[in-house]
Coordinates of all heavy atoms in Angstrom, one line a residue:
M834 N 18.5 -27.8 -42.1 CA 17.1 -27.6 -42.2 C 16.8 -26.1 -41.9 O 17.4 -25.5 -41.0 CB 16.3 -28.5 -41.2 CG 14.9 -28.3 -41.2 SD 14.2 -29.6 -40.1 CE 12.5 -29.3 -40.3
S835 N 16.0 -25.5 -42.6 CA 15.6 -24.1 -42.4 C 14.8 -23.8 -41.2 O 14.0 -24.7 -40.8 CB 14.9 -23.6 -43.7 OG 14.2 -22.5 -43.4
S836 N 15.0 -22.7 -40.6 CA 14.2 -22.3 -39.4 C 12.8 -21.7 -39.8 O 12.0 -21.5 -38.9 CB 14.9 -21.4 -38.5 OG 15.1 -20.1 -39.2
E837 N 12.6 -21.5 -41.1 CA 11.3 -20.9 -41.5 C 10.2 -21.9 -41.2 O 10.3 -23.1 -41.4 CB 11.3 -20.6 -43.0 CG 12.2 -19.4 -43.4 CD 12.1 -19.1 -44.8 OE1 11.0 -19.1 -45.4 OE2 13.2 -19.0 -45.4
G838 N 9.1 -21.4 -40.8 CA 7.9 -22.3 -40.5 C 8.1 -23.0 -39.2 O 7.2 -23.8 -38.9
K839 N 9.1 -22.7 -38.5 CA 9.3 -23.4 -37.2 C 8.3 -22.9 -36.2 O 8.1 -21.7 -36.0 CB 10.7 -23.2 -36.7 CG 11.2 -24.1 -35.6 CD 12.6 -23.8 -35.3 CE 13.1 -24.7 -34.1 NZ 14.4 -24.5 -33.8
V840 N 7.7 -23.8 -35.5 CA 6.7 -23.5 -34.4 C 7.5 -23.0 -33.2 O 8.6 -23.5 -32.9 CB 5.8 -24.7 -34.1 CG1 4.8 -24.4 -33.0 CG2 5.1 -25.2 -35.4
L841 N 6.9 -22.0 -32.5 CA 7.5 -21.6 -31.3 C 7.7 -22.7 -30.3 O 6.8 -23.6 -30.2 CB 6.6 -20.5 -30.6 CG 6.6 -19.1 -31.2 CD1 5.6 -18.3 -30.5 CD2 7.9 -18.5 -31.2
E842 N 8.9 -22.8 -29.8 CA 9.2 -24.0 -28.9 C 8.5 -23.9 -27.5 O 8.1 -24.9 -27.0 CB 10.7 -24.1 -28.7 CG 11.4 -24.5 -30.0 CD 12.9 -24.5 -29.9 OE1 13.4 -24.4 -28.8 OE2 13.5 -24.6 -30.9
K843 N 8.4 -22.7 -27.0 CA 7.9 -22.5 -25.7 C 6.6 -21.6 -25.8 O 6.7 -20.5 -26.2 CB 8.9 -21.8 -24.8 CG 8.6 -21.8 -23.4 CD 9.8 -21.2 -22.6 CE 9.4 -21.0 -21.2 NZ 10.5 -20.3 -20.5
P844 N 5.5 -22.1 -25.4 CA 4.2 -21.3 -25.5 C 4.3 -20.1 -24.5 O 4.9 -20.2 -23.4 CB 3.1 -22.3 -25.0 CG 3.8 -23.4 -24.3 CD 5.2 -23.5 -24.8
L845 N 3.8 -19.0 -25.0 CA 3.8 -17.8 -24.1 C 2.7 -17.9 -23.1 O 1.6 -18.5 -23.3 CB 3.5 -16.6 -25.0 CG 4.6 -16.2 -26.0 CD1 4.2 -15.1 -26.9 CD2 5.8 -15.7 -25.2
K846 N 3.0 -17.4 -21.9 CA 2.0 -17.4 -20.9 C 1.2 -16.1 -21.0 O 1.7 -15.1 -21.5 CB 2.7 -17.4 -19.5 CG 3.4 -18.7 -19.2 CD 4.0 -18.5 -17.8 CE 4.9 -19.8 -17.5 NZ 5.7 -19.6 -16.3
V847 N 0.0 -16.1 -20.5 CA -0.9 -14.9 -20.5 C -0.2 -13.7 -19.8 O -0.2 -12.6 -20.3 CB -2.2 -15.2 -19.8 CG1 -3.1 -13.9 -19.7 CG2 -3.0 -16.2 -20.6
E848 N 0.5 -14.0 -18.7 CA 1.2 -12.9 -18.0 C 2.3 -12.3 -18.9 O 2.5 -11.1 -18.8 CB 1.9 -13.5 -16.7 CG 0.9 -14.0 -15.7 CD 0.4 -15.4 -15.9 OE1 0.9 -16.1 -16.8 OE2 -0.6 -15.8 -15.2
D849 N 3.0 -13.1 -19.7 CA 4.0 -12.6 -20.6 C 3.4 -11.6 -21.6 O 3.9 -10.6 -21.9 CB 4.7 -13.7 -21.3 CG 5.5 -14.6 -20.3 OD1 5.9 -14.1 -19.2 OD2 5.7 -15.8 -20.6
L850 N 2.2 -12.1 -22.1 CA 1.5 -11.2 -23.1 C 1.0 -9.9 -22.5 O 1.1 -8.9 -23.1 CB 0.4 -12.0 -23.7 CG 0.7 -13.2 -24.6 CD1 -0.5 -14.0 -24.9 CD2 1.5 -12.8 -25.8
L851 N 0.5 -10.0 -21.3 CA 0.0 -8.8 -20.7 C 1.1 -7.8 -20.4 O 0.9 -6.6 -20.4 CB -0.8 -9.1 -19.4 CG -2.1 -9.9 -19.5 CD1 -2.7 -10.2 -18.2 CD2 -3.1 -9.0 -20.3
Q852 N 2.3 -8.3 -20.1 CA 3.4 -7.4 -19.8 C 3.8 -6.6 -21.0 O 4.5 -5.6 -20.8 CB 4.5 -8.2 -19.2 CG 4.3 -8.6 -17.8 CD 5.4 -9.4 -17.2 OE1 6.4 -9.7 -17.9 NE2 5.2 -9.9 -16.0
R853 N 3.4 -6.9 -22.1 CA 3.8 -6.2 -23.3 C 2.9 -4.9 -23.5 O 3.3 -4.0 -24.2 CB 3.6 -7.0 -24.6 CG 4.5 -8.2 -24.6 CD 4.3 -9.0 -25.8 NE 5.2 -10.2 -25.9 CZ 5.3 -11.0 -26.9 NH1 4.5 -10.8 -27.9 NH2 6.1 -12.0 -26.8
N854 N 1.8 -4.9 -22.8 CA 0.9 -3.7 -22.9 C 1.5 -2.5 -22.2 O 2.4 -2.7 -21.3 CB -0.5 -4.0 -22.3 CG -1.2 -5.1 -23.1 OD1 -1.0 -5.2 -24.3 ND2 -1.9 -5.9 -22.4
V855 N 1.0 -1.4 -22.5 CA 1.4 -0.1 -21.9 C 0.2 0.6 -21.4 O -0.8 0.6 -22.0 CB 2.2 0.8 -22.9 CG1 2.6 2.1 -22.3 CG2 3.4 0.1 -23.4
W856 N 0.3 1.1 -20.2 CA -0.8 1.9 -19.6 C -0.5 3.3 -19.4 O 0.6 3.7 -18.9 CB -1.2 1.3 -18.2 CG -2.0 0.0 -18.2 CD1 -3.3 -0.1 -18.1 CD2 -1.5 -1.3 -18.4 NE1 -3.7 -1.4 -18.2 CE2 -2.6 -2.2 -18.3 CE3 -0.2 -1.8 -18.6 CZ2 -2.4 -3.5 -18.5 CZ3 -0.1 -3.2 -18.7 CH2 -1.2 -4.0 -18.6
D857 N -1.4 4.2 -19.9 CA -1.3 5.6 -19.7 C -2.4 5.9 -18.7 O -3.5 6.2 -19.1 CB -1.4 6.4 -21.0 CG -1.3 7.9 -20.8 OD1 -1.0 8.3 -19.6 OD2 -1.5 8.6 -21.8
V858 N -2.1 5.8 -17.4 CA -3.1 5.8 -16.4 C -3.6 7.3 -16.1 O -2.7 8.2 -16.0 CB -2.5 5.3 -15.1 CG1 -3.6 5.3 -13.9 CG2 -2.1 3.8 -15.3
D859 N -4.9 7.4 -16.2 CA -5.5 8.7 -15.9 C -5.5 8.9 -14.4 O -5.8 7.9 -13.7 CB -6.9 8.8 -16.5 CG -7.4 10.2 -16.6 OD1 -6.8 11.1 -16.0 OD2 -8.5 10.3 -17.1
E860 N -5.3 10.1 -13.9 CA -5.4 10.3 -12.5 C -6.9 10.2 -12.0 O -7.1 10.0 -10.8 CB -4.8 11.7 -12.0 CG -5.5 12.9 -12.6 CD -5.0 13.2 -14.0 OE1 -4.1 12.6 -14.5 OE2 -5.6 14.2 -14.6
E861 N -7.8 10.4 -12.9 CA -9.2 10.2 -12.5 C -9.7 8.8 -12.8 O -9.6 8.3 -13.9 CB -10.1 11.2 -13.3 CG -11.6 11.1 -12.9 CD -12.4 12.1 -13.7 OE1 -11.9 13.1 -14.2 OE2 -13.6 11.8 -13.9
P862 N -10.1 8.0 -11.7 CA -10.4 6.6 -11.9 C -11.6 6.5 -12.9 O -12.6 7.3 -12.8 CB -10.9 6.2 -10.5 CG -10.2 7.2 -9.6 CD -10.2 8.5 -10.3
H863 N -11.5 5.5 -13.8 CA -12.7 5.3 -14.7 C -13.6 4.2 -14.1 O -14.6 3.9 -14.6 CB -12.2 4.9 -16.1 CG -11.5 3.5 -16.1 ND1 -10.2 3.4 -15.7 CD2 -11.9 2.3 -16.5 CE1 -9.8 2.1 -15.9 NE2 -10.9 1.4 -16.4
I864 N -13.2 3.6 -12.9 CA -14.0 2.7 -12.2 C -14.1 3.2 -10.8 O -13.1 3.6 -10.2 CB -13.4 1.2 -12.2 CG1 -13.3 0.7 -13.6 CG2 -14.3 0.3 -11.3 CD1 -12.6 -0.6 -13.7
A865 N -15.3 3.2 -10.3 CA -15.5 3.7 -8.9 C -16.7 2.9 -8.2 O -17.7 2.8 -8.8 CB -15.8 5.2 -8.8
I866 N -16.4 2.3 -7.1 CA -17.4 1.6 -6.3 C -17.5 2.3 -5.0 O -16.5 2.5 -4.3 CB -17.0 0.1 -6.2 CG1 -16.9 -0.6 -7.5 CG2 -18.0 -0.6 -5.3 CD1 -16.3 -1.9 -7.5
P867 N -18.7 2.7 -4.6 CA -18.8 3.3 -3.3 C -18.4 2.4 -2.1 O -18.8 1.3 -2.1 CB -20.3 3.7 -3.2 CG -21.0 2.8 -4.2 CD -20.0 2.5 -5.2
S868 N -17.5 2.9 -1.3 CA -17.0 2.1 -0.2 C -18.1 1.8 0.8 O -17.9 0.8 1.5 CB -15.8 2.9 0.5 OG -16.3 4.1 1.0
D869 N -19.1 2.5 0.9 CA -20.2 2.3 1.9 C -21.3 1.4 1.3 O -22.2 1.0 2.0 CB -20.8 3.6 2.4 CG -21.5 4.3 1.3 OD1 -21.2 4.1 0.1 OD2 -22.4 5.2 1.6
D870 N -21.2 1.0 0.1 CA -22.2 0.1 -0.5 C -21.6 -0.7 -1.6 O -21.5 -0.3 -2.8 CB -23.4 1.0 -1.1 CG -24.5 0.1 -1.8 OD1 -24.5 -1.1 -1.5 OD2 -25.3 0.7 -2.5
Q871 N -21.2 -1.9 -1.3 CA -20.6 -2.8 -2.2 C -21.6 -3.9 -2.6 O -21.2 -4.9 -3.2 CB -19.3 -3.5 -1.7 CG -18.2 -2.5 -1.5 CD -16.9 -3.1 -1.2 OE1 -16.8 -4.2 -0.6 NE2 -15.8 -2.5 -1.6
S872 N -22.9 -3.7 -2.4 CA -23.9 -4.6 -2.7 C -23.9 -4.8 -4.3 O -23.7 -3.8 -5.0 CB -25.3 -4.2 -2.2 OG -25.6 -3.0 -2.8
G873 N -24.2 -6.0 -4.7 CA -24.2 -6.2 -6.1 C -22.9 -6.4 -6.8 O -22.9 -6.6 -8.0
I874 N -21.8 -6.2 -6.1 CA -20.5 -6.4 -6.7 C -20.0 -7.8 -6.3 O -19.7 -8.1 -5.1 CB -19.5 -5.4 -6.1 CG1 -20.0 -3.9 -6.2 CG2 -18.1 -5.5 -6.9 CD1 -20.3 -3.4 -7.6
P875 N -20.0 -8.7 -7.2 CA -19.7 -10.1 -6.9 C -18.2 -10.3 -6.4 O -17.3 -9.8 -7.0 CB -19.8 -10.9 -8.3 CG -20.5 -9.9 -9.2 CD -20.3 -8.5 -8.7
K876 N -18.1 -11.0 -5.3 CA -16.8 -11.3 -4.8 C -16.0 -12.2 -5.7 O -14.7 -12.2 -5.7 CB -16.9 -12.0 -3.4 CG -17.7 -11.2 -2.4 CD -16.8 -10.3 -1.6 CE -17.5 -9.6 -0.4 NZ -18.5 -8.7 -0.7
A877 N -16.7 -12.8 -6.6 CA -16.0 -13.7 -7.6 C -15.1 -12.9 -8.5 O -14.2 -13.4 -9.2 CB -17.0 -14.5 -8.4
L878 N -15.2 -11.6 -8.5 CA -14.3 -10.8 -9.4 C -12.9 -10.9 -9.0 O -12.0 -10.7 -9.8 CB -14.7 -9.3 -9.3 CG -15.9 -8.9 -10.2 CD1 -16.4 -7.5 -9.8 CD2 -15.5 -9.0 -11.6
T879 N -12.6 -11.3 -7.7 CA -11.2 -11.6 -7.3 C -10.6 -12.7 -8.2 O -9.4 -12.8 -8.3 CB -11.2 -11.9 -5.8 OG1 -11.9 -13.1 -5.6 CG2 -11.6 -10.8 -5.0
L880 N -11.5 -13.6 -8.7 CA -11.0 -14.7 -9.5 C -11.2 -14.4 -11.0 O -10.5 -14.9 -11.9 CB -11.7 -16.0 -9.2 CG -11.6 -16.4 -7.7 CD1 -12.6 -17.6 -7.5 CD2 -10.2 -16.9 -7.4
L881 N -12.2 -13.6 -11.3 CA -12.6 -13.5 -12.7 C -11.9 -12.3 -13.5 O -11.7 -12.4 -14.7 CB -14.1 -13.3 -12.8 CG -14.9 -14.4 -12.3 CD1 -16.4 -14.1 -12.3 CD2 -14.7 -15.7 -13.2
C882 N -11.6 -11.3 -12.8 CA -10.9 -10.1 -13.4 C -9.6 -10.6 -14.0 O -8.7 -11.2 -13.3 CB -10.7 -9.0 -12.4 SG -9.7 -7.6 -13.1
P883 N -9.4 -10.4 -15.3 CA -8.2 -11.0 -16.0 C -6.9 -10.4 -15.5 O -5.8 -10.9 -15.8 CB -8.4 -10.7 -17.5 CG -9.4 -9.6 -17.5 CD -10.3 -9.7 -16.3
C884 N -6.9 -9.2 -14.9 CA -5.7 -8.6 -14.5 C -5.6 -8.4 -13.0 O -4.7 -7.7 -12.5 CB -5.4 -7.3 -15.2 SG -6.8 -6.2 -15.1
G885 N -6.5 -9.1 -12.2 CA -6.3 -9.0 -10.8 C -6.6 -7.7 -10.1 O -5.9 -7.3 -9.1
C886 N -7.5 -6.9 -10.7 CA -7.8 -5.6 -10.1 C -8.6 -5.7 -8.8 O -8.7 -4.7 -8.1 CB -8.6 -4.7 -11.1 SG -7.5 -4.1 -12.5
Y887 N -9.2 -6.8 -8.5 CA -10.0 -7.0 -7.3 C -9.4 -7.9 -6.3 O -8.9 -8.9 -6.7 CB -11.4 -7.5 -7.7 CG -12.3 -6.5 -8.5 CD1 -12.1 -6.4 -9.9 CD2 -13.2 -5.7 -7.8 CE1 -12.9 -5.4 -10.5 CE2 -13.9 -4.8 -8.5 CZ -13.8 -4.6 -9.9 OH -14.5 -3.7 -10.5
T888 N -9.4 -7.5 -5.1 CA -8.8 -8.2 -4.0 C -9.8 -8.2 -2.8 O -10.4 -7.2 -2.6 CB -7.5 -7.6 -3.5 OG1 -6.7 -7.3 -4.6 CG2 -6.8 -8.5 -2.5
K889 N -9.9 -9.3 -2.2 CA -10.8 -9.4 -1.0 C -10.0 -9.3 0.3 O -9.0 -10.0 0.4 CB -11.6 -10.7 -1.0 CG -12.7 -10.7 0.0 CD -13.6 -12.0 -0.2 CE -14.6 -12.0 0.9 NZ -14.9 -13.4 1.3
V890 N -10.3 -8.3 1.1 CA -9.6 -8.2 2.4 C -10.7 -8.2 3.5 O -11.5 -7.3 3.6 CB -8.8 -6.8 2.5 CG1 -8.2 -6.7 3.9 CG2 -7.8 -6.8 1.4
G891 N -10.7 -9.4 4.2 CA -11.8 -9.6 5.1 C -13.1 -9.7 4.3 O -13.2 -10.4 3.3
E892 N -14.1 -8.9 4.7 CA -15.4 -8.9 4.0 C -15.4 -7.8 2.9 O -16.3 -7.7 2.1 CB -16.5 -8.8 4.9 CG -16.8 -10.0 5.7 CD -17.0 -11.3 4.9 OE1 -17.9 -11.2 4.0 OE2 -16.3 -12.3 5.1
K893 N -14.4 -7.0 2.9 CA -14.3 -5.9 2.0 C -13.7 -6.2 0.7 O -12.7 -7.0 0.6 CB -13.5 -4.7 2.7 CG -13.8 -3.4 2.1 CD -14.3 -2.5 3.1 CE -14.5 -1.1 2.5 NZ -15.8 -0.6 2.7
L894 N -14.2 -5.7 -0.4 CA -13.6 -5.9 -1.7 C -12.9 -4.6 -2.1 O -13.4 -3.5 -2.1 CB -14.8 -6.1 -2.7 CG -14.4 -6.7 -4.1 CD1 -13.8 -8.1 -3.9 CD2 -15.6 -6.8 -5.0
L895 N -11.6 -4.8 -2.3 CA -10.8 -3.6 -2.7 C -10.5 -3.8 -4.2 O -10.5 -4.9 -4.8 CB -9.4 -3.6 -2.0 CG -9.5 -3.6 -0.5 CD1 -8.0 -3.6 0.1 CD2 -10.3 -2.4 0.0
Y896 N -10.3 -2.6 -4.9 CA -10.1 -2.7 -6.3 C -9.1 -1.6 -6.7 O -8.9 -0.6 -6.0 CB -11.4 -2.5 -7.1 CG -12.0 -1.2 -7.0 CD1 -11.8 -0.2 -8.0 CD2 -12.8 -0.8 -5.9 CE1 -12.4 1.1 -7.8 CE2 -13.3 0.5 -5.7 CZ -13.1 1.4 -6.7 OH -13.6 2.7 -6.6
S897 N -8.6 -1.8 -7.9 CA -7.7 -0.7 -8.4 C -8.1 -0.6 -9.9 O -8.5 -1.6 -10.5 CB -6.2 -1.1 -8.3 OG -5.9 -2.3 -8.9
Y898 N -7.9 0.5 -10.5 CA -8.2 0.7 -11.9 C -7.0 0.8 -12.8 O -7.1 0.8 -14.0 CB -9.1 1.9 -12.0 CG -8.4 3.2 -11.8 CD1 -7.9 4.0 -12.9 CD2 -8.1 3.7 -10.5 CE1 -7.2 5.1 -12.7 CE2 -7.5 4.9 -10.3 CZ -7.0 5.6 -11.4 OH -6.3 6.8 -11.2
E899 N -5.8 1.0 -12.2 CA -4.6 1.3 -12.9 C -4.3 0.2 -14.0 O -3.8 0.6 -15.0 CB -3.5 1.6 -12.0 CG -3.6 2.8 -11.2 CD -4.4 2.7 -9.9 OE1 -5.0 1.6 -9.7 OE2 -4.4 3.6 -9.1
G900 N -4.4 -1.0 -13.6 CA -4.0 -2.1 -14.6 C -5.2 -2.7 -15.3 O -5.0 -3.7 -16.0
C901 N -6.3 -2.0 -15.3 CA -7.5 -2.5 -16.0 C -7.3 -2.7 -17.5 O -6.7 -1.9 -18.1 CB -8.6 -1.5 -15.7 SG -10.2 -1.9 -16.6
L902 N -7.8 -3.8 -18.0 CA -7.7 -4.1 -19.4 C -9.0 -3.6 -20.2 O -9.1 -3.9 -21.4 CB -7.6 -5.6 -19.6 CG -6.3 -6.2 -19.1 CD1 -6.3 -7.7 -19.2 CD2 -5.1 -5.6 -19.9
E903 N -9.9 -3.0 -19.5 CA -11.1 -2.4 -20.1 C -12.0 -3.5 -20.8 O -12.6 -3.2 -21.8 CB -10.8 -1.3 -21.0 CG -10.0 -0.2 -20.3 CD -9.4 0.8 -21.3 OE1 -9.8 1.0 -22.4 OE2 -8.4 1.4 -20.9
C904 N -12.0 -4.7 -20.2 CA -12.8 -5.8 -20.8 C -14.3 -5.6 -20.5 O -15.1 -6.2 -21.2 CB -12.3 -7.1 -20.3 SG -12.7 -7.5 -18.6
G905 N -14.6 -4.9 -19.5 CA -16.0 -4.6 -19.1 C -16.7 -5.7 -18.3 O -17.8 -5.6 -18.0
L906 N -16.0 -6.7 -18.0 CA -16.6 -7.8 -17.2 C -17.2 -7.4 -15.9 O -18.3 -7.7 -15.6 CB -15.5 -8.9 -16.9 CG -16.1 -10.1 -16.0 CD1 -17.0 -10.9 -16.8 CD2 -14.9 -10.9 -15.5
C907 N -16.5 -6.6 -15.1 CA -17.0 -6.2 -13.8 C -18.2 -5.3 -14.0 O -19.1 -5.3 -13.2 CB -15.9 -5.5 -13.0 SG -15.1 -4.1 -13.7
R908 N -18.3 -4.6 -15.0 CA -19.5 -3.7 -15.3 C -20.7 -4.6 -15.6 O -21.8 -4.4 -15.2 CB -19.2 -2.8 -16.5 CG -20.3 -2.0 -16.9 CD -20.0 -1.2 -18.1 NE -21.1 -0.3 -18.5 CZ -21.2 0.4 -19.6 NH1 -20.2 0.2 -20.5 NH2 -22.2 1.2 -19.9
V909 N -20.4 -5.7 -16.4 CA -21.5 -6.5 -16.9 C -22.1 -7.4 -15.8 O -23.3 -7.5 -15.7 CB -21.0 -7.4 -18.1 CG1 -22.1 -8.5 -18.4 CG2 -20.7 -6.6 -19.3
I910 N -21.2 -7.9 -14.9 CA -21.7 -8.9 -13.9 C -22.1 -8.2 -12.6 O -22.6 -8.8 -11.7 CB -20.8 -10.0 -13.7 CG1 -19.5 -9.6 -13.0 CG2 -20.5 -10.8 -15.0 CD1 -18.6 -10.7 -12.6
S911 N -21.8 -6.9 -12.4 CA -22.2 -6.2 -11.2 C -23.6 -5.6 -11.3 O -24.0 -5.2 -12.4 CB -21.1 -5.1 -10.9 OG -19.9 -5.7 -10.7
N912 N -24.2 -5.5 -10.2 CA -25.5 -4.9 -10.2 C -25.6 -3.9 -9.0 O -26.2 -4.1 -8.0 CB -26.6 -6.0 -10.0 CG -28.0 -5.4 -10.1 OD1 -28.2 -4.3 -10.6 ND2 -28.9 -6.1 -9.6
N913 N -24.9 -2.8 -9.2 CA -24.9 -1.7 -8.2 C -25.1 -0.4 -8.9 O -24.1 0.0 -9.7 CB -23.6 -1.7 -7.3 CG -23.6 -0.7 -6.3 OD1 -24.1 0.4 -6.5 ND2 -23.1 -1.0 -5.1
P914 N -26.2 0.2 -8.9 CA -26.4 1.4 -9.7 C -25.5 2.6 -9.3 O -25.4 3.5 -10.1 CB -27.9 1.8 -9.3 CG -28.2 1.1 -8.1 CD -27.4 -0.1 -8.0
R915 N -24.8 2.5 -8.2 CA -23.9 3.6 -7.8 C -22.5 3.3 -8.3 O -21.6 4.1 -8.2 CB -23.9 3.8 -6.3 CG -25.2 4.4 -5.8 CD -25.2 4.4 -4.3 NE -24.2 5.3 -3.8 CZ -23.7 5.2 -2.5 NH1 -24.2 4.2 -1.7 NH2 -22.7 6.0 -2.1
M916 N -22.3 2.1 -8.9 CA -20.9 1.8 -9.5 C -20.7 2.6 -10.8 O -21.6 2.7 -11.6 CB -20.8 0.3 -9.8 CG -19.5 -0.1 -10.5 SD -19.5 -1.8 -11.0 CE -17.8 -2.0 -11.6
K917 N -19.5 3.2 -10.8 CA -19.2 4.0 -12.1 C -18.2 3.1 -12.9 O -17.3 2.5 -12.3 CB -18.5 5.3 -11.7 CG -17.8 6.0 -12.8 CD -17.0 7.2 -12.3 CE -15.9 7.6 -13.3 NZ -15.0 8.6 -12.8
W918 N -18.5 3.0 -14.1 CA -17.6 2.3 -15.1 C -17.7 3.0 -16.4 O -18.8 3.1 -17.0 CB -18.0 0.8 -15.2 CG -16.9 0.0 -15.9 CD1 -16.0 -0.9 -15.2 CD2 -16.4 0.0 -17.3 NE1 -15.1 -1.4 -16.1 CE2 -15.4 -0.9 -17.4 CE3 -16.9 0.7 -18.4 CZ2 -14.7 -1.1 -18.6 CZ3 -16.2 0.5 -19.6 CH2 -15.1 -0.4 -19.7
E919 N -16.6 3.5 -16.8 CA -16.6 4.2 -18.1 C -15.2 4.0 -18.7 O -14.3 3.7 -18.0 CB -17.0 5.7 -18.0 CG -16.1 6.4 -17.1 CD -16.7 7.8 -16.7 OE1 -18.0 7.9 -16.8 OE2 -15.9 8.7 -16.4
Y920 N -15.1 4.2 -20.0 CA -13.7 4.1 -20.6 C -12.9 5.3 -20.1 O -13.5 6.4 -19.9 CB -13.8 4.1 -22.1 CG -14.3 2.7 -22.6 CD1 -15.5 2.6 -23.2 CD2 -13.5 1.6 -22.6 CE1 -16.0 1.4 -23.7 CE2 -13.9 0.4 -23.0 CZ -15.1 0.3 -23.6 OH -15.6 -0.9 -24.0
P921 N -11.6 5.1 -20.0 CA -10.8 6.3 -19.6 C -10.9 7.3 -20.7 O -11.3 7.0 -21.8 CB -9.4 5.6 -19.6 CG -9.6 4.2 -19.4 CD -10.9 3.9 -20.1
K922 N -10.5 8.5 -20.4 CA -10.5 9.6 -21.3 C -9.7 9.2 -22.6 O -8.8 8.4 -22.5 CB -9.9 10.8 -20.8 CG -10.8 11.6 -19.8 CD -10.1 12.9 -19.4 CE -10.1 12.9 -17.9 NZ -9.0 13.7 -17.3
S923 N -10.1 9.8 -23.7 CA -9.5 9.4 -25.0 C -7.9 9.4 -24.9 O -7.3 10.4 -24.4 CB -9.9 10.4 -26.0 OG -9.3 10.1 -27.3
G924 N -7.4 8.3 -25.3 CA -5.9 8.1 -25.3 C -5.3 7.6 -24.0 O -4.1 7.3 -24.0
R925 N -6.1 7.5 -23.0 CA -5.6 7.1 -21.7 C -6.0 5.6 -21.5 O -6.7 5.0 -22.3 CB -6.2 7.9 -20.6 CG -6.1 9.4 -20.7 CD -4.6 9.9 -20.9 NE -3.8 9.7 -19.7 CZ -3.7 10.7 -18.8 NH1 -4.3 11.9 -18.9 NH2 -2.9 10.5 -17.8
G926 N -5.5 5.0 -20.5 CA -5.8 3.6 -20.2 C -4.8 2.7 -20.9 O -3.7 3.0 -21.1
V927 N -5.3 1.5 -21.2 CA -4.4 0.4 -21.7 C -4.2 0.7 -23.2 O -5.1 1.1 -23.9 CB -5.0 -1.0 -21.5 CG1 -6.3 -1.2 -22.2 CG2 -4.0 -2.1 -21.8
H928 N -3.0 0.4 -23.6 CA -2.6 0.4 -25.0 C -2.1 -1.0 -25.3 O -1.0 -1.3 -24.8 CB -1.5 1.5 -25.3 CG -1.9 2.9 -25.0 ND1 -2.0 3.8 -26.0 CD2 -2.3 3.5 -23.9 CE1 -2.4 5.0 -25.5 NE2 -2.6 4.8 -24.2
Y929 N -2.8 -1.7 -26.1 CA -2.5 -3.1 -26.3 C -1.3 -3.2 -27.3 O -1.2 -2.4 -28.3 CB -3.7 -3.9 -26.9 CG -4.7 -4.2 -25.9 CD1 -5.8 -3.4 -25.7 CD2 -4.5 -5.3 -25.0 CE1 -6.8 -3.7 -24.8 CE2 -5.5 -5.6 -24.1 CZ -6.6 -4.8 -23.9 OH -7.5 -5.1 -23.0
R930 N -0.4 -4.1 -27.0 CA 0.7 -4.4 -27.9 C 0.6 -5.9 -28.3 O 0.5 -6.8 -27.5 CB 2.1 -4.3 -27.2 CG 2.3 -2.9 -26.7 CD 2.7 -1.9 -27.8 NE 3.2 -0.6 -27.3 CZ 2.4 0.5 -27.4 NH1 1.2 0.4 -27.9 NH2 2.9 1.6 -26.9
F931 N 0.4 -6.1 -29.6 CA 0.2 -7.4 -30.1 C 1.4 -8.1 -30.7 O 1.3 -9.2 -31.2 CB -0.9 -7.4 -31.2 CG -2.3 -7.0 -30.6 CD1 -2.8 -5.7 -30.8 CD2 -3.0 -7.8 -29.8 CE1 -4.0 -5.3 -30.3 CE2 -4.2 -7.5 -29.2 CZ -4.7 -6.2 -29.5
T932 N 2.5 -7.5 -30.6 CA 3.7 -8.1 -31.2 C 4.7 -8.4 -30.1 O 4.7 -8.0 -29.0 CB 4.4 -7.2 -32.2 OG1 4.7 -5.9 -31.6 CG2 3.6 -7.0 -33.4
Ligands
SF4_2150 S1 -13.0 -4.0 -16.8 FE1 -12.2 -6.1 -16.8 S2 -10.0 -5.8 -16.5 FE2 -11.0 -3.9 -15.9 S3 -11.3 -4.1 -13.7 FE3 -13.2 -4.8 -14.7 S4 -12.9 -7.0 -14.9 FE4 -10.9 -6.2 -14.5

C-alpha cells in the first residue's frame, strides 16, 4: 500500500508548532505596562496569552515581550491608557514558520 494520502499518525501539539517560529527580538520593548499602574490589565492574561508572556507573582502581573506572537489580545482586552502596545519595528519580532 502506498504512503501517499496517509494521514499524520500523531497530531501536532500547539507547543510543537510554536517552536518552529523564529523571533528577532528588538531591544526596545513593543509592549510596556507601567509598573506603578496595572489597573485595567486583566489578570486573566496569565491564562489567555497564547505564549505565556504574562505571569502573576503575588498581586503583581509580570510580563515579557520577547516571545510575543503579536496576536493583539492583551491590547484589546486591557483598559489602561498608559499601556503601550505596538508592532515591533519592521522586520523584528516573530517570524512565523508554517512548514
Ligand atoms: S499580543 Fe498576544 S501573544 Fe503578545 S503578549 Fe499580548 S496576548 Fe501575548
Side-chain angles (χ1 to χ4, degrees):
M834 183 176 182
S835 161
S836 63
E837 287 182 51
K839 192 174 179 183
V840 179
L841 288 175
E842 294 174 10
K843 192 174 172 186
L845 290 172
K846 295 180 184 171
V847 172
E848 294 81 9
D849 296 333
L850 293 170
L851 290 176
Q852 286 178 359
R853 295 178 179 186
N854 297 328
V855 175
W856 282 261
D857 181 2
V858 179
D859 194 354
E860 62 277 355
E861 182 180 333
H863 67 283
I864 299 173
I866 299 170
S868 59
D869 64 338
D870 179 14
Q871 295 190 330
S872 62
I874 311 294
K876 302 275 189 286
L878 279 169
T879 59
L880 301 171
L881 298 174
C882 173
C884 51
C886 286
Y887 289 85
T888 310
K889 193 174 174 212
V890 176
E892 287 305 304
K893 198 121 177 124
L894 197 61
L895 304 180
Y896 68 98
S897 60
Y898 71 96
E899 290 87 351
C901 175
L902 294 172
E903 300 166 27
C904 72
L906 174 73
C907 56
R908 176 186 186 190
V909 169
I910 68 172
S911 297
N912 184 21
N913 182 322
R915 292 174 61 203
M916 176 186 187
K917 167 188 159 187
W918 195 105
E919 54 195 29
Y920 285 108
K922 281 184 234 155
S923 180
R925 308 303 290 268
V927 64
H928 296 244
Y929 285 98
R930 300 283 189 256
F931 294 106
T932 56

